[in-house]
PDB file of all heavy atoms in Angstrom:
ATOM      1  N   THR A 408     -25.798 -23.021  37.920  1.00 94.00           N
ATOM      2  CA  THR A 408     -24.943 -22.939  39.097  1.00 94.00           C
ATOM      3  C   THR A 408     -25.465 -23.757  40.280  1.00 94.00           C
ATOM      4  O   THR A 408     -24.684 -24.379  40.998  1.00 94.00           O
ATOM      5  CB  THR A 408     -24.754 -21.452  39.470  1.00 94.00           C
ATOM      6  OG1 THR A 408     -24.275 -20.797  38.286  1.00 94.00           O
ATOM      7  CG2 THR A 408     -23.759 -21.250  40.571  1.00 94.00           C
ATOM      8  N   GLN A 409     -26.780 -23.789  40.439  1.00 96.00           N
ATOM      9  CA  GLN A 409     -27.325 -24.568  41.561  1.00 96.00           C
ATOM     10  C   GLN A 409     -27.012 -26.047  41.401  1.00 96.00           C
ATOM     11  O   GLN A 409     -26.667 -26.738  42.354  1.00 96.00           O
ATOM     12  CB  GLN A 409     -28.853 -24.371  41.673  1.00 96.00           C
ATOM     13  CG  GLN A 409     -29.264 -22.966  42.059  1.00 96.00           C
ATOM     14  CD  GLN A 409     -28.580 -22.489  43.356  1.00 96.00           C
ATOM     15  OE1 GLN A 409     -28.251 -23.282  44.247  1.00 96.00           O
ATOM     16  NE2 GLN A 409     -28.331 -21.193  43.455  1.00 96.00           N
ATOM     17  N   ILE A 412     -23.396 -26.747  42.247  1.00 98.00           N
ATOM     18  CA  ILE A 412     -23.134 -26.818  43.689  1.00 98.00           C
ATOM     19  C   ILE A 412     -23.620 -28.158  44.243  1.00 98.00           C
ATOM     20  O   ILE A 412     -22.932 -28.818  45.027  1.00 98.00           O
ATOM     21  CB  ILE A 412     -23.799 -25.624  44.422  1.00 98.00           C
ATOM     22  CG1 ILE A 412     -23.180 -24.305  43.918  1.00 98.00           C
ATOM     23  CG2 ILE A 412     -23.658 -25.752  45.934  1.00 98.00           C
ATOM     24  CD1 ILE A 412     -23.863 -23.037  44.412  1.00 98.00           C
ATOM     25  N   LEU A 431     -15.273 -16.882  39.570  1.00 92.00           N
ATOM     26  CA  LEU A 431     -15.604 -15.701  40.375  1.00 92.00           C
ATOM     27  C   LEU A 431     -17.109 -15.607  40.599  1.00 92.00           C
ATOM     28  O   LEU A 431     -17.584 -15.282  41.687  1.00 92.00           O
ATOM     29  CB  LEU A 431     -15.090 -14.435  39.673  1.00 92.00           C
ATOM     30  CG  LEU A 431     -13.576 -14.223  39.715  1.00 92.00           C
ATOM     31  CD1 LEU A 431     -13.163 -13.145  38.718  1.00 92.00           C
ATOM     32  CD2 LEU A 431     -13.114 -13.840  41.114  1.00 92.00           C
ATOM     33  N   TYR A 432     -17.851 -15.931  39.560  1.00 90.00           N
ATOM     34  CA  TYR A 432     -19.302 -15.884  39.673  1.00 90.00           C
ATOM     35  C   TYR A 432     -19.790 -16.930  40.694  1.00 90.00           C
ATOM     36  O   TYR A 432     -20.613 -16.652  41.566  1.00 90.00           O
ATOM     37  CB  TYR A 432     -19.937 -16.117  38.293  1.00 90.00           C
ATOM     38  CG  TYR A 432     -21.440 -16.151  38.346  1.00 90.00           C
ATOM     39  CD1 TYR A 432     -22.158 -14.980  38.601  1.00 90.00           C
ATOM     40  CD2 TYR A 432     -22.134 -17.339  38.174  1.00 90.00           C
ATOM     41  CE1 TYR A 432     -23.547 -15.005  38.687  1.00 90.00           C
ATOM     42  CE2 TYR A 432     -23.515 -17.372  38.243  1.00 90.00           C
ATOM     43  CZ  TYR A 432     -24.219 -16.210  38.501  1.00 90.00           C
ATOM     44  OH  TYR A 432     -25.577 -16.224  38.586  1.00 90.00           O
ATOM     45  N   LEU A 433     -19.249 -18.133  40.555  1.00 94.00           N
ATOM     46  CA  LEU A 433     -19.605 -19.214  41.473  1.00 94.00           C
ATOM     47  C   LEU A 433     -19.332 -18.799  42.921  1.00 94.00           C
ATOM     48  O   LEU A 433     -20.134 -19.043  43.822  1.00 94.00           O
ATOM     49  CB  LEU A 433     -18.765 -20.441  41.096  1.00 94.00           C
ATOM     50  CG  LEU A 433     -19.049 -21.764  41.770  1.00 94.00           C
ATOM     51  CD1 LEU A 433     -20.452 -22.250  41.429  1.00 94.00           C
ATOM     52  CD2 LEU A 433     -18.019 -22.810  41.292  1.00 94.00           C
ATOM     53  N   ALA A 434     -18.198 -18.144  43.123  1.00 93.00           N
ATOM     54  CA  ALA A 434     -17.850 -17.690  44.473  1.00 93.00           C
ATOM     55  C   ALA A 434     -18.898 -16.711  44.981  1.00 93.00           C
ATOM     56  O   ALA A 434     -19.329 -16.788  46.139  1.00 93.00           O
ATOM     57  CB  ALA A 434     -16.467 -17.040  44.464  1.00 93.00           C
ATOM     58  N   SER A 435     -19.365 -15.821  44.099  1.00 88.00           N
ATOM     59  CA  SER A 435     -20.324 -14.829  44.592  1.00 88.00           C
ATOM     60  C   SER A 435     -21.661 -15.490  44.902  1.00 88.00           C
ATOM     61  O   SER A 435     -22.311 -15.150  45.882  1.00 88.00           O
ATOM     62  CB  SER A 435     -20.470 -13.667  43.607  1.00 88.00           C
ATOM     63  OG  SER A 435     -21.277 -14.054  42.539  1.00 88.00           O
ATOM     64  N   VAL A 436     -22.061 -16.480  44.112  1.00 92.00           N
ATOM     65  CA  VAL A 436     -23.328 -17.175  44.404  1.00 92.00           C
ATOM     66  C   VAL A 436     -23.203 -17.916  45.735  1.00 92.00           C
ATOM     67  O   VAL A 436     -24.076 -17.826  46.601  1.00 92.00           O
ATOM     68  CB  VAL A 436     -23.693 -18.159  43.259  1.00 92.00           C
ATOM     69  CG1 VAL A 436     -24.906 -19.004  43.637  1.00 92.00           C
ATOM     70  CG2 VAL A 436     -23.975 -17.391  41.976  1.00 92.00           C
ATOM     71  N   MET A 437     -22.104 -18.617  45.909  1.00 95.00           N
ATOM     72  CA  MET A 437     -21.935 -19.359  47.167  1.00 95.00           C
ATOM     73  C   MET A 437     -21.914 -18.406  48.357  1.00 95.00           C
ATOM     74  O   MET A 437     -22.520 -18.675  49.395  1.00 95.00           O
ATOM     75  CB  MET A 437     -20.649 -20.181  47.135  1.00 95.00           C
ATOM     76  CG  MET A 437     -20.731 -21.385  46.237  1.00 95.00           C
ATOM     77  SD  MET A 437     -19.196 -22.333  46.383  1.00 95.00           S
ATOM     78  CE  MET A 437     -19.542 -23.684  45.269  1.00 95.00           C
ATOM     79  N   GLY A 438     -21.212 -17.291  48.169  1.00 91.00           N
ATOM     80  CA  GLY A 438     -21.144 -16.291  49.243  1.00 91.00           C
ATOM     81  C   GLY A 438     -22.536 -15.810  49.637  1.00 91.00           C
ATOM     82  O   GLY A 438     -22.891 -15.770  50.817  1.00 91.00           O
ATOM     83  N   ASN A 439     -23.364 -15.519  48.624  1.00 89.00           N
ATOM     84  CA  ASN A 439     -24.719 -15.030  48.901  1.00 89.00           C
ATOM     85  C   ASN A 439     -25.579 -16.079  49.573  1.00 89.00           C
ATOM     86  O   ASN A 439     -26.501 -15.759  50.312  1.00 89.00           O
ATOM     87  CB  ASN A 439     -25.419 -14.618  47.587  1.00 89.00           C
ATOM     88  CG  ASN A 439     -24.849 -13.312  47.080  1.00 89.00           C
ATOM     89  OD1 ASN A 439     -24.242 -12.559  47.839  1.00 89.00           O
ATOM     90  ND2 ASN A 439     -25.025 -13.052  45.791  1.00 89.00           N
ATOM     91  N   GLU A 440     -25.289 -17.338  49.303  1.00 94.00           N
ATOM     92  CA  GLU A 440     -26.129 -18.393  49.880  1.00 94.00           C
ATOM     93  C   GLU A 440     -25.575 -18.959  51.175  1.00 94.00           C
ATOM     94  O   GLU A 440     -26.086 -19.939  51.705  1.00 94.00           O
ATOM     95  CB  GLU A 440     -26.301 -19.516  48.847  1.00 94.00           C
ATOM     96  CG  GLU A 440     -27.057 -18.993  47.652  1.00 94.00           C
ATOM     97  CD  GLU A 440     -27.412 -20.068  46.652  1.00 94.00           C
ATOM     98  OE1 GLU A 440     -27.048 -21.242  46.878  1.00 94.00           O
ATOM     99  OE2 GLU A 440     -28.043 -19.715  45.657  1.00 94.00           O
ATOM    100  N   GLY A 441     -24.494 -18.352  51.632  1.00 95.00           N
ATOM    101  CA  GLY A 441     -23.932 -18.794  52.912  1.00 95.00           C
ATOM    102  C   GLY A 441     -23.200 -20.128  52.824  1.00 95.00           C
ATOM    103  O   GLY A 441     -23.010 -20.812  53.824  1.00 95.00           O
ATOM    104  N   ILE A 442     -22.796 -20.521  51.595  1.00 97.00           N
ATOM    105  CA  ILE A 442     -22.019 -21.771  51.478  1.00 97.00           C
ATOM    106  C   ILE A 442     -20.547 -21.433  51.663  1.00 97.00           C
ATOM    107  O   ILE A 442     -20.025 -20.555  50.982  1.00 97.00           O
ATOM    108  CB  ILE A 442     -22.239 -22.418  50.092  1.00 97.00           C
ATOM    109  CG1 ILE A 442     -23.707 -22.791  49.931  1.00 97.00           C
ATOM    110  CG2 ILE A 442     -21.324 -23.633  49.903  1.00 97.00           C
ATOM    111  CD1 ILE A 442     -24.076 -23.248  48.538  1.00 97.00           C
ATOM    112  N   PHE A 471     -11.145 -17.823  48.691  1.00 96.00           N
ATOM    113  CA  PHE A 471     -12.563 -18.097  48.923  1.00 96.00           C
ATOM    114  C   PHE A 471     -12.824 -19.599  49.014  1.00 96.00           C
ATOM    115  O   PHE A 471     -13.532 -20.065  49.908  1.00 96.00           O
ATOM    116  CB  PHE A 471     -13.439 -17.477  47.826  1.00 96.00           C
ATOM    117  CG  PHE A 471     -14.893 -17.782  48.043  1.00 96.00           C
ATOM    118  CD1 PHE A 471     -15.648 -17.036  48.950  1.00 96.00           C
ATOM    119  CD2 PHE A 471     -15.505 -18.851  47.397  1.00 96.00           C
ATOM    120  CE1 PHE A 471     -16.975 -17.342  49.195  1.00 96.00           C
ATOM    121  CE2 PHE A 471     -16.836 -19.166  47.641  1.00 96.00           C
ATOM    122  CZ  PHE A 471     -17.574 -18.405  48.542  1.00 96.00           C
ATOM    123  N   GLN A 600     -17.218  -9.794  41.541  1.00 81.00           N
ATOM    124  CA  GLN A 600     -16.542 -10.585  40.511  1.00 81.00           C
ATOM    125  C   GLN A 600     -16.630 -10.021  39.100  1.00 81.00           C
ATOM    126  O   GLN A 600     -15.845 -10.392  38.243  1.00 81.00           O
ATOM    127  CB  GLN A 600     -17.086 -12.014  40.533  1.00 81.00           C
ATOM    128  CG  GLN A 600     -18.420 -12.226  39.842  1.00 81.00           C
ATOM    129  CD  GLN A 600     -19.588 -11.617  40.582  1.00 81.00           C
ATOM    130  OE1 GLN A 600     -19.491 -11.310  41.750  1.00 81.00           O
ATOM    131  NE2 GLN A 600     -20.679 -11.421  39.896  1.00 81.00           N
TER     132      GLN A 600
END
Side-chain angles (χ1 to χ4, degrees):
T408 306
Q409 293 306 330
I412 297 172
L431 287 166
Y432 177 70
L433 188 63
S435 78
V436 173
M437 287 184 179
N439 286 340
E440 295 187 359
I442 298 172
F471 179 81
Q600 80 289 342

